Amino acid sequence: MAWIYLMFAGVLEVLWAYTMKQSAGFTKPLPSLVTFVTMAASFGLLSVSMKSLPLGTAYTIWTGIGAVGAFVVGIVVLGELVSTTRLAAAALIVSGLVLMKLSS
């Protein structure tokens, strides 16, 4: 179950990063509220997953899901720049996540 909690925590991290962007510096109430709620839920699920997963593994996977997920949302939803270098960087992060999972 710890891995499932961790995956959901990572997805919520992507959501709160996106809604934080939409909040325009916390000047828009609804995106601001969604940011804080999903942030709290993400941290809570991360905390529960850390009961049985090593700190380094759990935190690395959580931040990696958030980083790559936010990168994808930025491109797909927000129309951010796609370049070979950015794609290679994301691929390296995913490779690191796979290696971290395999080592646990």
Side-chain angles (χ1 to χ4, degrees):
M1 282 302 289
W3 285 103
I4 293 169
Y5 292 141
L6 186 58
M7 295 303 126
F8 279 119
V11 169
L12 288 172
E13 184 182 8
V14 175
L15 182 58
W16 70 251
Y18 172 72
T19 57
M20 184 185 299
K21 174 78 171 166
Q22 299 306 304
S23 77
F26 299 117
T27 60
K28 296 181 180 178
L30 185 57
S32 297
L33 177 63
V34 173
T35 298
F36 291 123
V37 170
T38 54
M39 191 180 286
S42 179
F43 276 100
L45 289 170
L46 174 63
S47 175
V48 171
S49 76
M50 284 182 172
K51 287 181 180 179
S52 58
L53 295 175
L55 166 67
T57 300
Y59 190 74
T60 301
I61 299 291
W62 180 69
T63 58
I65 293 169
V68 173
F71 170 73
V72 170
V73 167
I75 290 170
V76 173
V77 177
L78 301 175
E80 294 178 356
L81 175 69
V82 179
S83 70
T84 304
T85 306
R86 292 184 81 210
L87 291 171
L92 288 170
I93 294 170
V94 171
S95 298
L97 296 176
V98 170
L99 287 173
M100 187 62 74
K101 169 65 172 111
L102 293 174
S103 71
S104 296

